[in-house]
Amino acid sequence: MTRMNLGEHTLSALRVQLRAVDCQTCGRPFLRWQRPALAVYTDGEYADASLHHVGCHRPGWHEGWIEPVLDRQHLSWRAGTFVLPARLMLGLSSDDIPFFLVNPAFEAALLHHRDGRGWQVWTVQFFKELGLDLRGSTALSSAGPTPTLAASIEDHRISVTVRSGEAHHHWPNIPIFPETARLVRARGSIVVGVTTRLDVCQRLSHPEIAAGATSGSMAVGVAALAPKGKGRRRRKH
């Protein structure tokens, strides 16, 4: 990564968030020895940073939004489900909490230019604008659902959607253990955490996740569970 116009603080944050999985130009995976090219497209106070093969895309700073950066057809995401024990909730809940954790963007990040602070990584904050809360304690202690979130369970798999205006993110068909699904159905909801700092593919401890949910580095909300059968796709025969 070059310094470009971002500053060392923002580049350090991008080094933590971005993971070279697939090239955002061609969609092919990065080889272990390949160093990705960082391209940043900016338009006004927002910018988009993404990783590419060196031979696929010119690295550096680019003015304006252009394809294929924003269509996101090659963007990798990972999600998983688990139950956070009540003893880790620091009094926020007297019950165990079913949790859906998602990292929505491995190879790209949204940036926002703030007067006096320069460019800041804004991916998680963007989900706050979609109705989630950076104060995870608020969502963890709330019985009410987040209006922009919805969840559905079918055949031991759960899907979560966040929709606000034209913004729409859908994370479908994530495996869920039967005991977790029973807890979700009993509550009628599941807590959703959006993070870019944690690799959901790696083994994560419950204290690590609970700390992330209450530290301000994760956007947290409550997805109401849709009634059984609602929103189910009709199978083709």
Side-chain angles (χ1 to χ4, degrees):
M1 296 183 182
T2 61
R3 289 184 178 273
M4 299 189 215
N5 301 326
L6 298 177
E8 187 56 40
H9 175 77
T10 301
L11 283 173
S12 296
L14 287 175
R15 292 186 185 102
V16 172
Q17 173 174 334
L18 297 179
R19 295 170 174 84
V21 181
D22 293 331
C23 171
Q24 293 302 285
T25 299
C26 71
R28 294 191 300 270
F30 290 96
L31 300 178
R32 183 173 299 178
W33 51 267
Q34 286 182 310
R35 184 176 182 179
L38 174 66
V40 178
Y41 283 87
T42 179
D43 184 14
E45 62 181 9
Y46 288 97
D48 182 272
S50 55
L51 301 180
H52 308 260
H53 289 132
V54 173
C56 289
H57 197 291
R58 179 169 59 90
W61 191 267
H62 308 272
E63 296 292 336
W65 303 104
I66 68 168
E67 302 293 350
V69 176
L70 292 181
D71 62 9
R72 291 288 178 258
Q73 61 177 324
H74 304 309
L75 188 64
S76 301
W77 59 270
R78 302 288 186 272
T81 62
F82 49 89
V83 175
L84 280 179
R87 58 182 173 78
L88 296 176
M89 292 297 96
L90 303 176
L92 298 176
S93 174
S94 57
D95 301 314
D96 294 343
I97 295 180
F99 209 99
F100 181 100
L101 182 66
V102 59
N103 186 325
F106 276 21
E107 307 96 344
L110 178 66
L111 306 175
H112 180 42
H113 191 276
R114 306 180 68 186
D115 292 339
R117 299 184 62 182
W119 288 101
Q120 305 287 317
V121 177
W122 205 250
T123 307
V124 170
Q125 285 81 352
F126 172 73
F127 283 91
K128 178 184 178 182
E129 297 176 6
L130 299 184
L132 283 74
D133 203 320
L134 295 181
R135 300 169 298 175
S137 57
T138 301
L140 291 171
S141 60
S142 173
T146 304
T148 54
L149 282 172
S152 61
I153 295 178
E154 183 178 1
D155 299 332
H156 305 299
R157 290 183 176 272
I158 187 169
S159 300
V160 170
T161 300
V162 55
R163 186 190 300 271
S164 178
E166 296 182 357
H168 177 218
H169 296 265
H170 183 53
W171 304 298
N173 301 321
I174 302 304
I176 185 169
F177 287 114
E179 55 269 27
T180 307
R182 284 194 292 269
L183 184 56
V184 174
R185 291 190 176 99
R187 289 171 53 97
S189 65
I190 186 169
V191 172
V192 176
V194 179
T195 179
T196 56
R197 295 189 179 184
L198 300 177
D199 186 348
V200 182
C201 294
Q202 302 298 319
R203 183 179 295 274
L204 301 171
S205 69
H206 287 155
E208 184 178 8
I209 297 166
T214 56
S215 67
S217 62
M218 186 183 297
V220 184
V222 179
L225 183 64
K228 188 174 181 180
K230 183 177 181 180
R232 181 180 298 179
R233 293 181 178 179
R234 183 176 298 176
R235 296 181 178 179
K236 295 181 179 180
H237 296 286

